[in-house]
Amino acid sequence: MMADDRFRTGDQALVRTINQTLILHHLRQTAPVSRAALSELTGLNKTTVSSIIRDLIGTSMIREIGAQSGGAGRPAIMLELNPDAGYIISAEIGVDFIALLRTNFTAEFQWQSRSPIREPHDSAAVLNQLVGMLKNAISNALIGNRRVFGVAVGVPGLVDQQSGQVLFAPNLGWHTIPLEGMLAHELDLPVSLDNEANMAALGELYFGVAQGYKNVLYLTLDVGLGGGIISNGQLFTGNAGFAGEFGHITMDPHGKLCGCGNRGCFETLVSLPALYDHVRTAVARGEPTLLADLVRTDMLNFEGVAEAARSGDQVGLAAFASIGRALGVGLASLVNIFDPQLIVLGGEMSRASELMLPIATEELTVRLKPWQHPLPTLAAARYTRDACVMGGIATVYDRIFNLHRRG
């Protein structure tokens, strides 16, 4: 075989792979759909579509589901992704928990698990616990002799996409953990590792409120503040995978010390600890509130603050209002940089978005007015507790279905 023949053969294989990915992408979005419709959607000729569909049926990734009449002519055989083609497994390492989710090939929940981290300050112990939980999920999946397409793991920290390392996870106390390689070795499966907010952003793009949007900012408000960027329909991670670390934008250089070592980070003003600080300060000043007993007994929690605020408690309302104002200030800068269509608020605190988003929107509107910015839509995420693990499912999907690499 001549060298140019090898190149042509390689080119043909690459083109076929791209075409197959394109067809899978449209099947995921538009199924049930016919071969003729796929030809129109993809711009591929009918012969190419039929050949690729035949291969995909042979691998069980898609299936025929019967005929549908479109008027004159022979009824068209409709196609869809095959839910029984295999499984996708996703995990989140939280500050004090590990969560797992296994879905079928159409992202329907099959199995879920959540366990407290037994030794939170010992990274080796946490990883052993994670591996054990993942192996359990995988062994249960293999009982039905179905493949596992991949595993995705989200962590609350900086992830180097090139090396697959967790470089820094301040709320876990982790530095330079080669997590992706360790898991791939232990599991003998493709493993995707990313920041939990990036995963959650992708989950909202695939399955949540960001479907149909091209340019989206996702913020997760929890113990810390994370972020994800969707640019032109793709997850943008930057040069080394660090893009979206909104929580560590400096808002006040003389402000409160952050877990990252700097002062006045965005997350020191917009996070669960910031919310609790407002309540404790008000109680210390002697302000009347339903939350006083929770503070004195060290039982203050998010549900309690939200419930008090919804019942009209002024301290609870003021705490959420302060978070909302700081959120609006930070978002104004992000909008000036990224010009998104949609801003999605996720994480634990998004469950009380009605107490923060109106104030954040008001602050954002005032701050954008001099620039005549079109105001982006602000919305609560579809997923809160399951945000990262649903994002992990989307991450594996993204590798299978997407035509483009991340930016």
Side-chain angles (χ1 to χ4, degrees), residues 35 53 57 62-67 77-82:
R35 290 170 175 79
I53 291 297
I57 290 175
I62 67 173
R63 65 183 182 183
E64 295 179 335
I65 55 171
I77 301 296
M78 306 303 286
L79 303 159
E80 68 176 8
L81 297 179
N82 181 8

Side-chain angles (χ1 to χ4, degrees), residues 113-124:
S113 176
R114 188 181 182 98
S115 298
I117 290 177
R118 293 189 290 267
E119 299 180 58
H121 302 298
D122 185 338
S123 61

Side-chain angles (χ1 to χ4, degrees), residues 98-402:
I98 297 174
L100 257 68
L101 172 65
R102 189 180 73 225
T103 73
N104 63 16
F105 194 49
T106 52
E108 296 170 326
F109 284 29
Q110 298 291 307
W111 180 83
Q112 210 168 1
S113 176
R114 188 181 182 98
S115 298
I117 290 177
R118 293 189 290 267
E119 299 180 58
H121 302 298
D122 185 338
S123 61
V126 173
L127 297 182
N128 285 336
Q129 184 179 348
L130 172 65
V131 168
M133 293 174 69
L134 286 169
K135 285 185 175 180
N136 183 43
I138 292 165
S139 63
N140 288 341
L142 296 178
I143 290 173
N145 293 319
R146 293 176 187 161
R147 79 186 91 174
V148 176
F149 284 98
V151 174
V153 178
V155 295
L158 293 177
V159 173
D160 185 334
Q161 294 289 328
Q162 299 301 317
S163 66
Q165 294 187 88
V166 180
L167 295 182
F168 182 39
N171 291 321
L172 292 172
W174 287 9
H175 295 266
T176 320
I177 306 292
L179 183 56
E180 186 175 299
M182 293 166 63
L183 291 176
H185 174 75
E186 288 283 346
L187 304 176
D188 194 26
L189 284 170
V191 175
S192 299
L193 177 69
D194 209 338
N195 170 270
E196 49 88 21
N198 279 342
M199 282 194 172
L202 200 61
E204 289 294 328
L205 179 68
Y206 268 75
F207 309 118
V209 298
Q211 291 179 85
Y213 287 89
K214 290 291 187 182
N215 297 293
V216 180
L217 296 182
Y218 175 89
L219 279 76
T220 176
L221 275 58
D222 215 296
V223 173
L225 190 159
I229 305 163
I230 304 296
S231 177
N232 196 29
Q234 305 295 312
L235 181 63
F236 177 79
T237 56
N239 179 56
F242 304 162
E245 284 293 329
F246 304 145
H248 300 290
I249 294 170
T250 300
M251 298 277 282
D252 178 3
H254 305 293
K256 185 178 179 181
L257 184 66
C258 180
C260 73
N262 289 324
R263 287 192 174 275
C265 291
F266 197 3
E267 74 173 40
T268 66
L269 301 174
V270 182
S271 61
L272 284 172
L275 183 76
Y276 300 153
D277 282 349
H278 285 294
V279 174
R280 291 189 183 104
T281 299
V283 170
R285 286 197 300 258
E287 296 181 25
T289 174
L290 299 170
L291 298 165
D293 286 343
L294 289 178
V295 172
R296 293 190 188 101
T297 57
D298 199 27
M299 297 290 287
L300 193 62
N301 58 77
F302 177 75
E303 289 78 9
V305 181
E307 183 179 346
R310 289 179 180 125
S311 68
D313 183 88
Q314 291 304 304
V315 168
L317 286 169
F320 277 109
S322 179
I323 298 292
R325 281 191 295 274
L327 178 62
V329 172
L331 288 179
S333 295
L334 295 177
V335 170
N336 281 326
I337 296 167
F338 294 106
D339 189 24
Q341 301 164 283
L342 175 70
I343 297 172
V344 180
L345 184 65
E348 177 80 358
M349 294 182 72
S350 70
R351 296 193 295 116
S353 58
E354 80 280 6
L355 298 171
M356 297 178 292
L357 284 188
I359 296 167
T361 301
E362 181 180 337
E363 188 73 39
L364 184 60
T365 303
V366 170
R367 291 179 177 275
L368 293 182
K369 187 172 289 185
W371 304 97
Q372 297 299 310
H373 256 302
L375 192 68
T377 301
L378 272 67
R382 176 169 297 175
Y383 301 102
T384 52
R385 192 178 189 188
D386 294 327
C388 180
V389 287
M390 280 305 297
I393 303 302
T395 299
V396 178
Y397 257 19
D398 199 49
R399 191 180 68 241
I400 297 170
F401 295 119
N402 224 324

